[in-house]
Amino acid sequence: MKAGDVVYLATAASVQFLRPIFVRVIREVPEWHTYDGWVWIEGYELNAAGDAVARRELYVLRAGVRLRALPVKPPRRAKRRRGPVRVG
């Protein structure tokens, strides 16, 4: 993982993610010692629009972290509003 990566965290990464989240990685923290296969990461939790909503320090199982692109919601089609029509 490198700065700027967007990762998907679910229960495969840790049991704390019963509700999966997307995180934009700031950095992996190698100086914090962990068990083999686990890492500390700093990042921003993202909402559905891809905006950062909270800064987080997360302890995750590296094998459970999935690199992903943010889900893209199709843009809403603008409703056409028609005004009165002049006849004559």
Side-chain angles (χ1 to χ4, degrees):
M1 287 178 282
K2 62 185 184 309
D5 284 348
V6 174
V7 295
Y8 177 76
L9 302 176
T11 54
S14 176
V15 295
Q16 66 183 315
F17 302 113
L18 290 175
R19 182 186 60 84
I21 63 172
F22 284 93
V23 174
R24 179 169 290 117
V25 175
I26 297 171
R27 71 182 186 123
E28 193 173 312
V29 188
E31 57 270 9
W32 293 354
H33 299 287
T34 64
Y35 292 102
D36 190 37
W38 292 80
V39 295
W40 279 97
I41 60 172
E42 291 180 353
Y44 291 103
E45 183 177 350
L46 305 175
N47 64 11
D51 300 322
V53 293
R55 185 173 174 148
R56 307 275 304 263
E57 293 174 347
L58 303 163
Y59 187 59
V60 296
L61 183 62
R62 181 185 293 277
V65 175
R66 302 287 177 246
L67 290 174
R68 295 275 173 98
L70 281 173
V72 178
K73 291 186 177 180
R76 288 190 198 175
R77 297 187 85 189
K79 292 184 180 180
R80 294 184 72 184
R81 300 182 108 190
R82 292 187 176 197
V85 178
R86 292 183 63 181
V87 178

